[in-house]
Amino acid sequence: MGLEKDLPAGEQLLVLFRPFLEHLADSDLSPKTIQKHVDNMWALGGEFIRELHRDSSLRKKPVQRVLSSMIEYGGPLLYHGGEEQQRSFDSTCRKFRRYLATVAH
């Protein structure tokens, strides 16, 4: 459960995440693969909020800029999770970054 002050950033994340998740749902990926990406996006949101708690100055920056820096080289190091989970998470973050680059142009 997040805090009230996390809601604006969380809502902005949803605006960014939703088109990507819809894109995945419309793809030819298997339901299991899509679910893995959905789970990883949920984890990315959690890591984003955790980072806001760690460094409150990030709250003053645009959400998309902070998120882009977090996923520049894969994903952030997961707070909970093993090597396999981290690899999967990084893969989703790279896929999301490529997606954001294509829709930005």
Side-chain angles (χ1 to χ4, degrees), residues 5-15 48-49 52 59 63:
K5 66 182 179 179
D6 298 332
L7 289 176
E11 289 169 354
Q12 290 177 50
L13 285 176
L14 286 176
V15 168
F48 184 93
I49 298 299
L52 293 184
R59 292 183 186 278
V63 166

Side-chain angles (χ1 to χ4, degrees), residues 39-48 50 75-90 93:
D39 293 346
N40 286 333
M41 293 301 289
W42 179 266
L44 178 59
E47 293 301 326
F48 184 93
R50 182 185 317 282
L77 187 61
L78 289 171
Y79 186 71
H80 295 291
E83 190 176 325
E84 180 67 29
Q85 190 175 4
Q86 185 69 49
R87 268 197 305 275
S88 173
F89 180 66
D90 288 342
C93 290

Side-chain angles (χ1 to χ4, degrees), residues 48 51 58 61-76 97:
F48 184 93
E51 193 64 16
L58 296 176
K61 297 180 180 179
V63 166
Q64 187 161 355
R65 185 181 315 154
V66 175
L67 181 64
S68 290
S69 69
M70 285 181 74
I71 62 173
E72 189 170 357
Y73 303 107
R97 183 162 176 67

